[in-house]
Amino acid sequence: MDTGTHIVMGIALGGLATLDPVVQNDPALSSAVLVGTIVGSHAPDFDTVFKLKNNATYIRHHRGASHSVPAVILWGLLVSGAIYLFVPEVSYLHLWIWTALAVVIHVFVDIFNAYGTQAYRPFSRKWVAHGFINTFDPYIFVLHVAGIGAWALGANPGFTWVLMYAVMLLYYIKRYMDKREIVRKIKEYFPETEKVATSPTIKQNYWRVAITTKEKYYVGTVEHRHIEIVDEFDREPLPDSEIMEVALTDKNIQAFLNFSPVYNWEIRDFDDFTEVRLTDLRYRSKGYYPFNAVVQIDDNMRIMSSYTGWIFSEQKLQSKLFVHEDPI
């Protein structure tokens, strides 16, 4: 989920914690727990610091090890331990329980969007992305804001939080059923379907889909359960060629392949260099595929420049590959 949603989830969990008798009877602990749930609900995303190095490092690691089983345990201990240093008189056990729960909820809700996480590491490095909740879902956000507002105005915390979480559970079930119906219809239309990647949008009844069959990739949209195919690509493995061997040594290409399971590739020859481009097919928006990896290789098989990340225009992509006339 986005940062704002994680924060309101942390505040809501801090409100729920007031139902804990130990927290309820200790104002210092109540404040410490609220800090713990807010920080803990965002802690796994501290890996955004990798963006300071480069996009390839960020894409390879974001929602990777930081969302793994060992990391979830470690984040709970680190955040609660840091807070406990300032308020050693409070119950560390209760502070840790609520802080650790905030971390667990962060990772748990992240597995339901299209980006996903490597939540099963170290047991599996597979990306878990169920794809039926948008990264920013206005319904979830507004529901939490309403619950926090009611709590702040003095509403009964037990009734408020039970009602809020019950509604959210029903909403998740509804979105899961929506996705299941979409996948069912796609498999009726394409019986040879092997996999369907769904990407819900901020609009409740509008989805993006990438369909994998034995020989093709199909890209489409689903609006009010009406499926429209807007693009198709031959499903071909990466070629066994010298230019591709060089491309595969590039860190940006490696980061892309580590993350993207459904992609198209193309090799384009120019006067002074050859360009290898990989395009993730899951995120088509306004006729453009914004998540790409590009490497440009000169005639001597040396990498001139490369980039991977979210770019929404060809001009912007080329500006990332070159600064003035010097490749980066």
Side-chain angles (χ1 to χ4, degrees):
M1 306 298 285
D2 70 300
T3 299
T5 302
H6 282 307
I7 289 174
V8 296
M9 283 184 167
I11 297 172
L13 186 62
L16 180 65
T18 60
L19 298 178
D20 179 343
V22 177
V23 175
Q24 189 177 66
N25 295 321
D26 186 343
L29 177 59
S30 180
S31 298
V33 165
L34 182 60
V35 173
T37 56
I38 293 173
V39 177
S41 69
H42 186 59
D45 281 348
F46 289 165
D47 61 6
T48 53
V49 69
F50 287 120
K51 190 173 283 190
L52 297 175
K53 186 174 182 180
N54 55 57
N55 254 25
T57 302
Y58 172 72
I59 290 168
R60 181 178 285 275
H61 295 288
H62 182 50
R63 294 194 180 183
S66 65
H67 288 60
S68 65
V69 174
V72 167
I73 297 170
L74 187 60
W75 283 125
L77 292 171
L78 286 176
V79 174
S80 60
I83 297 170
Y84 188 69
L85 291 176
F86 295 94
V87 282
E89 70 276 11
V90 304
S91 167
Y92 177 72
L93 175 63
H94 288 261
L95 173 59
W96 169 76
I97 287 173
W98 289 103
T99 301
L101 183 58
V103 177
V104 170
I105 289 175
H106 174 118
V107 176
F108 179 71
V109 297
D110 274 356
I111 70 175
F112 296 109
N113 58 51
Y115 196 104
T117 76
Q118 289 182 307
Y120 296 153
R121 290 179 65 174
F123 309 107
S124 170
R125 297 181 70 89
K126 179 182 178 182
W127 282 90
V128 186
H130 294 302
F132 59 83
I133 298 292
N134 188 254
T135 302
F136 173 74
D137 188 301
Y139 292 89
I140 292 175
F141 184 82
V142 170
L143 180 62
H144 279 80
V145 170
I148 292 166
W151 174 50
L153 291 173
N156 180 278
F159 175 79
T160 300
W161 303 123
V162 168
L163 177 63
M164 189 198 77
Y165 285 115
V167 171
M168 194 166 75
L169 175 61
L170 292 174
Y171 179 70
Y172 269 73
I173 293 172
K174 175 194 177 297
R175 295 297 280 170
Y176 167 74
M177 298 298 290
D178 289 343
K179 175 189 171 174
R180 193 170 74 168
E181 179 64 13
I182 290 169
V183 173
R184 184 188 68 79
K185 286 190 173 183
I186 288 173
K187 288 184 175 180
E188 284 183 358
Y189 192 78
F190 295 108
E192 70 278 20
T193 295
E194 294 181 358
K195 187 176 181 181
V196 179
T198 54
S199 297
T201 68
I202 198 169
K203 298 178 181 178
Q204 184 70 191
N205 295 307
Y206 188 84
W207 301 60
R208 301 186 185 97
V209 294
I211 304 161
T212 302
T213 68
K214 185 176 181 180
E215 298 181 349
K216 295 275 190 178
Y217 290 126
Y218 296 95
V219 179
T221 61
V222 180
E223 188 167 13
H224 296 287
R225 299 194 177 183
H226 172 72
I227 302 167
E228 179 182 1
I229 302 300
V230 296
D231 247 337
E232 67 175 78
F233 304 88
D234 291 330
R235 184 182 177 184
E236 298 179 354
L238 295 175
D240 183 11
S241 64
E242 184 178 7
I243 198 75
M244 188 58 72
E245 286 182 8
V246 175
L248 290 174
T249 66
D250 180 74
K251 63 185 179 183
N252 285 297
I253 297 294
Q254 292 172 353
F256 178 95
L257 291 173
N258 181 65
F259 171 72
S260 299
V262 185
Y263 62 88
N264 183 52
W265 61 267
E266 62 177 321
I267 299 174
R268 296 192 291 179
D269 292 317
F270 296 90
D271 290 340
D272 301 319
F273 65 92
T274 299
E275 180 180 281
V276 177
R277 179 177 300 208
L278 307 181
T279 301
D280 194 307
L281 302 179
R282 296 174 295 173
Y283 307 112
R284 186 179 186 275
S285 177
K286 298 178 181 178
Y288 190 78
Y289 294 91
F291 188 65
N292 295 270
V294 180
V295 59
Q296 295 177 338
I297 302 167
D298 67 19
D299 294 338
N300 295 313
M301 293 296 163
R302 294 178 300 189
I303 294 174
M304 299 165 56
S305 59
S306 67
Y307 182 79
T308 187
W310 299 86
I311 298 292
F312 289 86
S313 74
E314 185 64 24
Q315 183 179 6
K316 185 68 173 178
L317 176 58
Q318 294 304 321
S319 73
K320 290 290 185 179
L321 289 166
F322 289 91
V323 178
H324 301 299
E325 295 182 356
D326 299 319
I328 58 174

